[in-house]
Amino acid sequence: MTSTTARTRAAVQDYHRARFAGDVPAAAARLSDGFTFRSPLISSDAAGHLSGLAGFLQVVTGVEMISELYGESEATLVYDVHTATPVGVQRTAEHFRLRDGRIESITLIFDATRWHPVMAAAGGGAPPPPDERAPAPPPPPP
């Protein structure tokens, strides 16, 4: 493992531990200026991403790591989030991009279908509109 890969690993592992421990200052310290976050449910900057952490952690009952992959300036974690919601266990992939040892973006990948009724019941409303960069669906057949 190169020193850059080791630095990537340390930054991502520190962030992941801090986030799931609810330590917002420690998690924020690993994020770069201009940080962006995208998931099937939200897109935000660092403040928006970390502001919802306490509420999310109220329903998390455990995290089970499945795989960790580290490169020079990126990492991918695959894990199960155990929740005290009707969703139960959510398989999740999280892709990180880093610059100078700090996380500049996270893309969270999971099937959000089971979260829509949970969010609606919690007052979160409907899911956000599709990503503007995604191709438009084909027109219905005539």
Side-chain angles (χ1 to χ4, degrees), residues 66-79:
I66 296 169
S67 179
E68 301 174 66
L69 304 169
Y70 299 98
E72 297 292 315
S73 62
E74 65 181 323
T76 302
L77 305 180
V78 179
Y79 53 90

Side-chain angles (χ1 to χ4, degrees), residues 54-106:
F56 174 66
L57 290 178
Q58 288 179 355
V59 302
V60 173
T61 60
V63 177
E64 182 180 353
M65 189 63 66
I66 296 169
S67 179
E68 301 174 66
L69 304 169
Y70 299 98
E72 297 292 315
S73 62
E74 65 181 323
T76 302
L77 305 180
V78 179
Y79 53 90
D80 285 341
V81 177
H82 298 259
T83 72
T85 71
V87 171
V89 178
Q90 177 68 63
R91 172 85 25 104
T92 304
E94 190 168 22
H95 184 258
F96 299 80
R97 293 236 179 249
L98 291 86
R99 182 183 309 254
D100 299 324
R102 296 184 69 198
I103 301 165
E104 65 180 2
S105 70
I106 296 174

